[in-house]
Amino acid sequence: MSENGSKTPVDFWFDPLCPWAWMTSRWMLEVEKVREVEVRWHVMSLAVLNEDKLDDLPEEYREMLETQAWGPVRVVIAAQQKHGDEILGKLYTALGTRFHNRGEGPTREAVVGALEDAGLPADLVEYMDSDAYDTELRASHKEGIDKVGQEVGTPVIAVPGADGSQVAFFGPVVTPAPKGEAAARLWDGTLLVASTPGFYEIKRTRTQGPIFD
């Protein structure tokens, strides 16, 4: 909790297409239940992140970025611009539930369904094929990525540091999303290492994919 007694803001940058960011986001919702924090959602983009290195990526991943990555995140940024920041969490949950938990994938039909689930106009789906808010998308992406550097992906999380500046980190990458006290312990530990001066990375090989529950 912050010094004035309010909940500590946690800024979370996501691309709705990423299953690992989805897992982390569900963990953060658990953390909100057991720690005095409040998540503030922001948009970042795997398409923007990788646009200058497509030739170096595996063919399957490159094809996914070129054919699937722009549409959903463009709809999210359009919804934010038209309906405010407060809809981001609800729309992200609706999109992620359909894309990942239900296995619908980032289809136009899934996006329409998610918009309806979030109480938003279905015609926002037209922004899947529009660059109308790409400037705002890139600005939001840059805000998050500038906090951690280019050698990371989504999600990016930023919290207030002891000196008033923000402490930011990529991840954690975890599956399944911890719940209850397990979520709290991971949060406390993540903040501990992320706030240590000079600390950069802990990593091990992933032995399983995202577990959606």
Side-chain angles (χ1 to χ4, degrees):
M1 184 174 291
S2 62
E3 292 182 359
N4 62 10
S6 62
K7 292 185 177 181
T8 300
V10 177
D11 292 294
F12 189 110
W13 279 262
F14 69 92
D15 184 320
L17 194 63
C18 179
W20 291 104
W22 174 247
M23 299 302 302
T24 308
S25 73
R26 299 310 93 181
W27 163 67
M28 276 309 314
L29 294 183
E30 287 291 314
V31 174
E32 277 192 319
K33 300 175 185 177
V34 293
R35 291 292 184 265
E36 293 295 327
V37 302
E38 183 176 11
V39 180
R40 301 188 300 198
W41 305 99
H42 306 270
V43 179
M44 65 182 296
S45 168
L46 289 172
V48 173
L49 183 68
N50 291 285
E51 64 183 348
D52 294 329
K53 46 192 173 186
L54 289 175
D55 291 341
D56 300 324
L57 298 175
E59 181 178 354
E60 184 177 355
Y61 189 59
R62 181 173 66 248
E63 182 179 355
M64 182 277 294
L65 290 174
E66 292 175 337
T67 61
Q68 299 180 348
W70 283 104
V73 77
R74 279 173 163 167
V75 171
V76 174
I77 198 69
Q80 179 195 31
Q81 294 299 307
K82 288 178 169 291
H83 299 278
D85 294 343
E86 62 274 7
I87 59 87
L88 283 178
K90 182 182 293 187
L91 179 55
Y92 182 26
T93 290
L95 288 167
T97 298
R98 286 181 175 271
F99 289 2
H100 306 301
N101 291 60
R102 298 185 187 176
E104 297 178 23
T107 65
R108 193 177 185 88
E109 292 75 18
V111 171
V112 170
L115 288 167
E116 294 175 349
D117 294 341
L120 291 166
D123 60 7
L124 282 169
V125 73
E126 301 304 324
Y127 286 95
M128 289 186 75
D129 305 310
S130 169
D131 62 1
Y133 293 109
D134 278 10
T135 298
E136 291 80 1
L137 171 60
R138 290 178 181 276
S140 181
H141 175 89
K142 184 176 186 300
E143 182 185 6
I145 210 70
D146 279 353
K147 298 179 184 297
V148 289
Q150 294 294 325
E151 290 76 34
V152 300
T154 175
V156 169
I157 296 176
V159 297
D163 62 356
S165 62
Q166 280 194 313
V167 174
F169 49 90
F170 159 67
V173 176
V174 60
T175 188
K179 296 179 173 58
E181 187 55 31
R185 287 196 303 270
L186 178 57
W187 176 249
D188 295 341
T190 300
L191 291 188
L192 178 63
V193 297
S195 62
T196 300
F199 175 83
Y200 293 107
E201 185 172 359
I202 288 178
K203 190 170 184 178
R204 60 183 174 187
T205 300
R206 301 178 197 175
T207 57
Q208 60 183 356
I211 300 172
F212 307 120
D213 56 6

PDB file of all heavy atoms in Angstrom, residues 106-127:
ATOM      1  N   PRO A 106      -7.277 -15.866 -32.370  1.00  0.00           N
ATOM      2  CA  PRO A 106      -7.524 -14.443 -32.644  1.00  0.00           C
ATOM      3  C   PRO A 106      -8.314 -14.211 -33.925  1.00  0.00           C
ATOM      4  O   PRO A 106      -7.898 -13.462 -34.814  1.00  0.00           O
ATOM      5  CB  PRO A 106      -6.106 -13.882 -32.749  1.00  0.00           C
ATOM      6  CG  PRO A 106      -5.316 -15.019 -33.318  1.00  0.00           C
ATOM      7  CD  PRO A 106      -5.900 -16.268 -32.692  1.00  0.00           C
ATOM      8  N   THR A 107      -9.457 -14.864 -34.033  1.00  0.00           N
ATOM      9  CA  THR A 107     -10.290 -14.723 -35.227  1.00  0.00           C
ATOM     10  C   THR A 107     -11.181 -13.495 -35.122  1.00  0.00           C
ATOM     11  O   THR A 107     -11.407 -12.957 -34.034  1.00  0.00           O
ATOM     12  CB  THR A 107     -11.181 -15.957 -35.411  1.00  0.00           C
ATOM     13  OG1 THR A 107     -12.103 -16.023 -34.308  1.00  0.00           O
ATOM     14  CG2 THR A 107     -10.348 -17.232 -35.456  1.00  0.00           C
ATOM     15  N   ARG A 108     -11.690 -13.084 -36.242  1.00  0.00           N
ATOM     16  CA  ARG A 108     -12.613 -11.945 -36.268  1.00  0.00           C
ATOM     17  C   ARG A 108     -13.858 -12.258 -35.440  1.00  0.00           C
ATOM     18  O   ARG A 108     -14.354 -11.406 -34.699  1.00  0.00           O
ATOM     19  CB  ARG A 108     -12.994 -11.628 -37.721  1.00  0.00           C
ATOM     20  CG  ARG A 108     -13.697 -10.296 -37.913  1.00  0.00           C
ATOM     21  CD  ARG A 108     -13.954 -10.040 -39.392  1.00  0.00           C
ATOM     22  NE  ARG A 108     -14.514  -8.716 -39.636  1.00  0.00           N
ATOM     23  CZ  ARG A 108     -13.791  -7.628 -39.836  1.00  0.00           C
ATOM     24  NH1 ARG A 108     -12.478  -7.694 -39.817  1.00  0.00           N
ATOM     25  NH2 ARG A 108     -14.376  -6.454 -40.058  1.00  0.00           N
ATOM     26  N   GLU A 109     -14.320 -13.496 -35.537  1.00  0.00           N
ATOM     27  CA  GLU A 109     -15.513 -13.901 -34.775  1.00  0.00           C
ATOM     28  C   GLU A 109     -15.251 -13.850 -33.276  1.00  0.00           C
ATOM     29  O   GLU A 109     -16.107 -13.421 -32.497  1.00  0.00           O
ATOM     30  CB  GLU A 109     -15.940 -15.310 -35.187  1.00  0.00           C
ATOM     31  CG  GLU A 109     -16.473 -15.436 -36.609  1.00  0.00           C
ATOM     32  CD  GLU A 109     -15.368 -15.380 -37.663  1.00  0.00           C
ATOM     33  OE1 GLU A 109     -14.182 -15.596 -37.301  1.00  0.00           O
ATOM     34  OE2 GLU A 109     -15.689 -15.105 -38.839  1.00  0.00           O
ATOM     35  N   ALA A 110     -14.056 -14.270 -32.874  1.00  0.00           N
ATOM     36  CA  ALA A 110     -13.711 -14.230 -31.454  1.00  0.00           C
ATOM     37  C   ALA A 110     -13.629 -12.796 -30.949  1.00  0.00           C
ATOM     38  O   ALA A 110     -14.053 -12.496 -29.826  1.00  0.00           O
ATOM     39  CB  ALA A 110     -12.385 -14.952 -31.213  1.00  0.00           C
ATOM     40  N   VAL A 111     -13.094 -11.907 -31.761  1.00  0.00           N
ATOM     41  CA  VAL A 111     -12.993 -10.497 -31.365  1.00  0.00           C
ATOM     42  C   VAL A 111     -14.377  -9.882 -31.222  1.00  0.00           C
ATOM     43  O   VAL A 111     -14.658  -9.156 -30.257  1.00  0.00           O
ATOM     44  CB  VAL A 111     -12.134  -9.708 -32.372  1.00  0.00           C
ATOM     45  CG1 VAL A 111     -12.204  -8.210 -32.084  1.00  0.00           C
ATOM     46  CG2 VAL A 111     -10.685 -10.186 -32.335  1.00  0.00           C
ATOM     47  N   VAL A 112     -15.266 -10.176 -32.168  1.00  0.00           N
ATOM     48  CA  VAL A 112     -16.648  -9.672 -32.070  1.00  0.00           C
ATOM     49  C   VAL A 112     -17.307 -10.179 -30.794  1.00  0.00           C
ATOM     50  O   VAL A 112     -17.954  -9.424 -30.054  1.00  0.00           O
ATOM     51  CB  VAL A 112     -17.466 -10.084 -33.302  1.00  0.00           C
ATOM     52  CG1 VAL A 112     -18.949  -9.788 -33.087  1.00  0.00           C
ATOM     53  CG2 VAL A 112     -16.969  -9.356 -34.540  1.00  0.00           C
ATOM     54  N   GLY A 113     -17.140 -11.470 -30.512  1.00  0.00           N
ATOM     55  CA  GLY A 113     -17.719 -12.031 -29.304  1.00  0.00           C
ATOM     56  C   GLY A 113     -17.157 -11.390 -28.052  1.00  0.00           C
ATOM     57  O   GLY A 113     -17.892 -11.122 -27.089  1.00  0.00           O
ATOM     58  N   ALA A 114     -15.857 -11.129 -28.036  1.00  0.00           N
ATOM     59  CA  ALA A 114     -15.229 -10.503 -26.880  1.00  0.00           C
ATOM     60  C   ALA A 114     -15.725  -9.075 -26.673  1.00  0.00           C
ATOM     61  O   ALA A 114     -15.940  -8.633 -25.538  1.00  0.00           O
ATOM     62  CB  ALA A 114     -13.711 -10.518 -27.030  1.00  0.00           C
ATOM     63  N   LEU A 115     -15.881  -8.354 -27.753  1.00  0.00           N
ATOM     64  CA  LEU A 115     -16.421  -6.992 -27.646  1.00  0.00           C
ATOM     65  C   LEU A 115     -17.811  -7.016 -27.024  1.00  0.00           C
ATOM     66  O   LEU A 115     -18.129  -6.202 -26.142  1.00  0.00           O
ATOM     67  CB  LEU A 115     -16.463  -6.337 -29.027  1.00  0.00           C
ATOM     68  CG  LEU A 115     -15.108  -5.941 -29.622  1.00  0.00           C
ATOM     69  CD1 LEU A 115     -15.248  -5.610 -31.110  1.00  0.00           C
ATOM     70  CD2 LEU A 115     -14.518  -4.755 -28.871  1.00  0.00           C
ATOM     71  N   GLU A 116     -18.616  -7.934 -27.457  1.00  0.00           N
ATOM     72  CA  GLU A 116     -19.965  -8.057 -26.893  1.00  0.00           C
ATOM     73  C   GLU A 116     -19.892  -8.473 -25.420  1.00  0.00           C
ATOM     74  O   GLU A 116     -20.630  -7.950 -24.582  1.00  0.00           O
ATOM     75  CB  GLU A 116     -20.777  -9.051 -27.712  1.00  0.00           C
ATOM     76  CG  GLU A 116     -21.061  -8.572 -29.124  1.00  0.00           C
ATOM     77  CD  GLU A 116     -21.754  -9.610 -29.985  1.00  0.00           C
ATOM     78  OE1 GLU A 116     -21.829 -10.787 -29.552  1.00  0.00           O
ATOM     79  OE2 GLU A 116     -22.208  -9.266 -31.092  1.00  0.00           O
ATOM     80  N   ASP A 117     -18.984  -9.404 -25.097  1.00  0.00           N
ATOM     81  CA  ASP A 117     -18.820  -9.832 -23.706  1.00  0.00           C
ATOM     82  C   ASP A 117     -18.426  -8.659 -22.806  1.00  0.00           C
ATOM     83  O   ASP A 117     -18.809  -8.605 -21.634  1.00  0.00           O
ATOM     84  CB  ASP A 117     -17.735 -10.913 -23.602  1.00  0.00           C
ATOM     85  CG  ASP A 117     -18.119 -12.203 -24.297  1.00  0.00           C
ATOM     86  OD1 ASP A 117     -19.329 -12.414 -24.553  1.00  0.00           O
ATOM     87  OD2 ASP A 117     -17.210 -13.000 -24.595  1.00  0.00           O
ATOM     88  N   ALA A 118     -17.641  -7.730 -23.362  1.00  0.00           N
ATOM     89  CA  ALA A 118     -17.159  -6.590 -22.584  1.00  0.00           C
ATOM     90  C   ALA A 118     -18.114  -5.405 -22.620  1.00  0.00           C
ATOM     91  O   ALA A 118     -17.821  -4.359 -22.031  1.00  0.00           O
ATOM     92  CB  ALA A 118     -15.791  -6.158 -23.112  1.00  0.00           C
ATOM     93  N   GLY A 119     -19.241  -5.571 -23.291  1.00  0.00           N
ATOM     94  CA  GLY A 119     -20.220  -4.487 -23.366  1.00  0.00           C
ATOM     95  C   GLY A 119     -19.805  -3.353 -24.280  1.00  0.00           C
ATOM     96  O   GLY A 119     -20.222  -2.206 -24.084  1.00  0.00           O
ATOM     97  N   LEU A 120     -19.002  -3.670 -25.290  1.00  0.00           N
ATOM     98  CA  LEU A 120     -18.518  -2.659 -26.224  1.00  0.00           C
ATOM     99  C   LEU A 120     -19.150  -2.861 -27.598  1.00  0.00           C
ATOM    100  O   LEU A 120     -19.576  -3.967 -27.938  1.00  0.00           O
ATOM    101  CB  LEU A 120     -16.996  -2.750 -26.341  1.00  0.00           C
ATOM    102  CG  LEU A 120     -16.220  -2.320 -25.098  1.00  0.00           C
ATOM    103  CD1 LEU A 120     -14.767  -2.779 -25.196  1.00  0.00           C
ATOM    104  CD2 LEU A 120     -16.294  -0.805 -24.917  1.00  0.00           C
ATOM    105  N   PRO A 121     -19.209  -1.810 -28.404  1.00  0.00           N
ATOM    106  CA  PRO A 121     -19.822  -1.930 -29.728  1.00  0.00           C
ATOM    107  C   PRO A 121     -19.084  -2.942 -30.612  1.00  0.00           C
ATOM    108  O   PRO A 121     -17.850  -2.905 -30.715  1.00  0.00           O
ATOM    109  CB  PRO A 121     -19.708  -0.516 -30.308  1.00  0.00           C
ATOM    110  CG  PRO A 121     -19.563   0.380 -29.117  1.00  0.00           C
ATOM    111  CD  PRO A 121     -18.805  -0.420 -28.100  1.00  0.00           C
ATOM    112  N   ALA A 122     -19.838  -3.807 -31.250  1.00  0.00           N
ATOM    113  CA  ALA A 122     -19.238  -4.828 -32.099  1.00  0.00           C
ATOM    114  C   ALA A 122     -18.526  -4.237 -33.302  1.00  0.00           C
ATOM    115  O   ALA A 122     -17.598  -4.866 -33.847  1.00  0.00           O
ATOM    116  CB  ALA A 122     -20.320  -5.810 -32.567  1.00  0.00           C
ATOM    117  N   ASP A 123     -18.905  -2.997 -33.713  1.00  0.00           N
ATOM    118  CA  ASP A 123     -18.278  -2.435 -34.905  1.00  0.00           C
ATOM    119  C   ASP A 123     -16.826  -2.007 -34.660  1.00  0.00           C
ATOM    120  O   ASP A 123     -16.112  -1.646 -35.597  1.00  0.00           O
ATOM    121  CB  ASP A 123     -19.098  -1.273 -35.465  1.00  0.00           C
ATOM    122  CG  ASP A 123     -19.284  -0.115 -34.495  1.00  0.00           C
ATOM    123  OD1 ASP A 123     -18.667  -0.129 -33.405  1.00  0.00           O
ATOM    124  OD2 ASP A 123     -20.044   0.817 -34.836  1.00  0.00           O
ATOM    125  N   LEU A 124     -16.359  -2.079 -33.414  1.00  0.00           N
ATOM    126  CA  LEU A 124     -14.938  -1.843 -33.154  1.00  0.00           C
ATOM    127  C   LEU A 124     -14.059  -2.875 -33.850  1.00  0.00           C
ATOM    128  O   LEU A 124     -12.867  -2.651 -34.048  1.00  0.00           O
ATOM    129  CB  LEU A 124     -14.653  -1.869 -31.647  1.00  0.00           C
ATOM    130  CG  LEU A 124     -15.034  -0.621 -30.843  1.00  0.00           C
ATOM    131  CD1 LEU A 124     -14.931  -0.914 -29.352  1.00  0.00           C
ATOM    132  CD2 LEU A 124     -14.145   0.562 -31.222  1.00  0.00           C
ATOM    133  N   VAL A 125     -14.650  -4.002 -34.232  1.00  0.00           N
ATOM    134  CA  VAL A 125     -13.887  -5.042 -34.932  1.00  0.00           C
ATOM    135  C   VAL A 125     -13.302  -4.516 -36.242  1.00  0.00           C
ATOM    136  O   VAL A 125     -12.292  -5.048 -36.736  1.00  0.00           O
ATOM    137  CB  VAL A 125     -14.758  -6.285 -35.189  1.00  0.00           C
ATOM    138  CG1 VAL A 125     -15.781  -6.019 -36.295  1.00  0.00           C
ATOM    139  CG2 VAL A 125     -13.902  -7.501 -35.525  1.00  0.00           C
ATOM    140  N   GLU A 126     -13.906  -3.479 -36.801  1.00  0.00           N
ATOM    141  CA  GLU A 126     -13.408  -2.936 -38.065  1.00  0.00           C
ATOM    142  C   GLU A 126     -11.990  -2.385 -37.922  1.00  0.00           C
ATOM    143  O   GLU A 126     -11.265  -2.257 -38.926  1.00  0.00           O
ATOM    144  CB  GLU A 126     -14.349  -1.845 -38.579  1.00  0.00           C
ATOM    145  CG  GLU A 126     -15.779  -2.310 -38.819  1.00  0.00           C
ATOM    146  CD  GLU A 126     -15.864  -3.498 -39.768  1.00  0.00           C
ATOM    147  OE1 GLU A 126     -15.045  -3.554 -40.724  1.00  0.00           O
ATOM    148  OE2 GLU A 126     -16.725  -4.372 -39.568  1.00  0.00           O
ATOM    149  N   TYR A 127     -11.577  -2.074 -36.702  1.00  0.00           N
ATOM    150  CA  TYR A 127     -10.234  -1.543 -36.496  1.00  0.00           C
ATOM    151  C   TYR A 127      -9.165  -2.624 -36.601  1.00  0.00           C
ATOM    152  O   TYR A 127      -7.970  -2.313 -36.592  1.00  0.00           O
ATOM    153  CB  TYR A 127     -10.149  -0.826 -35.147  1.00  0.00           C
ATOM    154  CG  TYR A 127     -10.846   0.510 -35.169  1.00  0.00           C
ATOM    155  CD1 TYR A 127     -12.159   0.626 -34.730  1.00  0.00           C
ATOM    156  CD2 TYR A 127     -10.217   1.640 -35.667  1.00  0.00           C
ATOM    157  CE1 TYR A 127     -12.817   1.840 -34.764  1.00  0.00           C
ATOM    158  CE2 TYR A 127     -10.866   2.862 -35.713  1.00  0.00           C
ATOM    159  CZ  TYR A 127     -12.166   2.961 -35.267  1.00  0.00           C
ATOM    160  OH  TYR A 127     -12.813   4.168 -35.322  1.00  0.00           O
TER     161      TYR A 127
END
